[in-house]
Amino acid sequence: AMALGLSDTVQANAGGITLETMFIDEGFGTLDEESLSNAINILESLAGSSRLVGIISHVEELKNRIPRQIRVIRNTIGSGSDVEIVV
């Protein structure tokens, strides 16, 4: 909610600057079930707007409810990572 409110405030007060992309990593794992559901519903409602919202999370509920994903997975060999795109 803070990130969304901040983006609206910046857009309203920054002389025509628009924030079209935002990445959120706000501790979804600490939310109770109802708060998490509310947060997901709000983020889903933004999906049809002109904003791109990226969520950085390990919370399983988010993984299950968000259809388009870029997953970064630790590689089992060495210290690298693999990227998986889910559409």
Side-chain angles (χ1 to χ4, degrees), residues 4-27:
L4 296 173
L6 177 61
S7 72
D8 288 341
T9 300
V10 168
Q11 290 183 90
N13 296 306
I17 293 175
T18 60
L19 296 176
E20 296 173 353
T21 304
M22 175 181 6
F23 287 91
I24 301 173
D25 181 10
E26 292 193 17

Side-chain angles (χ1 to χ4, degrees), residues 1 12 15-16 34 38 44 46 53 61 82:
E34 182 180 351
N38 288 337
E44 286 175 338
L46 292 174
V53 179
E61 179 69 15
D82 295 321

Side-chain angles (χ1 to χ4, degrees), residues 68-85:
R68 293 181 303 233
Q69 301 177 17
I70 299 172
R71 296 181 187 167
V72 179
I73 304 158
R74 181 185 302 176
N75 191 321
T76 57
I77 302 170
S79 60
S81 299
D82 295 321
V83 175
E84 176 184 16
I85 298 176

Side-chain angles (χ1 to χ4, degrees), residues 11-72:
Q11 290 183 90
N13 296 306
I17 293 175
T18 60
L19 296 176
E20 296 173 353
T21 304
M22 175 181 6
F23 287 91
I24 301 173
D25 181 10
E26 292 193 17
F28 289 99
T30 62
L31 298 176
D32 61 63
E33 188 174 324
E34 182 180 351
S35 298
L36 179 60
S37 182
N38 288 337
I40 293 170
N41 290 336
I42 290 168
L43 293 171
E44 286 175 338
S45 72
L46 292 174
S49 71
S50 61
R51 291 182 182 161
L52 172 65
V53 179
I55 301 170
I56 302 166
S57 182
H58 65 280
V59 175
E60 202 63 37
E61 179 69 15
L62 286 170
K63 292 178 187 176
N64 293 332
R65 286 193 52 184
I66 297 175
R68 293 181 303 233
Q69 301 177 17
I70 299 172
R71 296 181 187 167
V72 179

